Amino acid sequence: MSNNQIRNLVTGGAGFLGSHLVDKLMSKGQEVVCIDNFFTGRKRNLEKWFGNPNFELIRHDITEPILVEVDRIWHLACPASPIQYQSNPIKTAKTSFLGTYNMLGLARRVKARMLLASTSEIYGDPEIHPQSEDYRGNVSTIGTRSCYDEGKRIAETLCYDYERMHNTEIRVARIFNTYGPRMLNNDGRVVSNFIVQALKKEPLTIYGDGSQTRSFCYVSDLIDGLYKLMNSNFSKPMNLGNPEEITIKKLSYKIKEKINPNLELKLKDLPEDDPRRRKPDISLAKEIINWSPVIDFDQGLENTINYFKKFEN
């Protein structure tokens, strides 16, 4: 099958990751059907493709079934930041379970290969460091983050049950913290939080003492990883993220330095079940799909800050 014959369905295609994936697929001359209910997606992320014969946008909520003829399903639809997924936790759980169930049903009917955008959150507050794909996680079933963490875990379970029962072709990417242009300014993620606060000359809010770590992958690197995984023959879960670990406090200093060095820091209590450390082991991605991040963190931050400046209001 040549590239320009591939017909892709991207759920959550108007969102942060989804819209960057749409850009990549469209730039390769492929056909893209984008589905989004616009809970966190934005039409402006896709406007450059409006009117293009290879692009179609459908407003639809994937908790309801849909039938479209496609070769590939990139299942990214689900609110991914704590503020968003905790605002309606039952809806979040339904999106992960019913949405994935509906997409797998579609994949089975039209014999499409499906990639699930899973998450590092399935590891919970990890007791081993860094996290490799064989780690089973330390996750609360009853906490405020459970709707997302457990939702993604059952989504993975469904995928592999479909693979076993129906021979559905499955790819599962466990995505670690990603940042870059098109993040929402109110989504509560730490990179966008700090940038928005700094641009407004407000103190930067740090939860806990700032010693907790995250590993941030620039969005173009992450999309390259997704693309390589989908086009590989590897069907087990794969971590995609940047193994370069940084404390939240150090991140705040980096952003202050780039926007306004005089800003103060404001400490708040750590939220429930907030992971202390997060760092992917990407040995598998390096070995199987020859992938590792290439964008320098400072350059990625510059690009992200410039994006937020452009849309500041």
Side-chain angles (χ1 to χ4, degrees), residues 37-51:
N37 67 351
F38 299 104
F39 176 56
T40 59
R42 296 291 178 266
K43 283 185 182 174
R44 75 177 184 209
N45 292 339
L46 298 167
E47 60 192 2
K48 71 171 118 175
W49 303 118
F50 293 170

Side-chain angles (χ1 to χ4, degrees), residues 164-205:
R164 282 184 284 264
M165 288 186 70
H166 305 302
N167 296 314
T168 308
E169 275 197 89
I170 297 300
R171 304 289 181 268
V172 171
R174 290 179 179 165
I175 299 170
F176 283 68
N177 294 69
T178 307
Y179 72 103
R182 302 182 196 160
M183 295 180 87
L184 292 176
N185 61 4
N186 59 350
D187 70 0
R189 295 188 223 205
V190 66
V191 171
S192 48
N193 258 12
F194 283 168
I195 292 173
V196 169
Q197 288 175 335
L199 290 173
K200 290 180 174 174
K201 301 181 173 59
E202 295 173 356
L204 306 192
T205 306

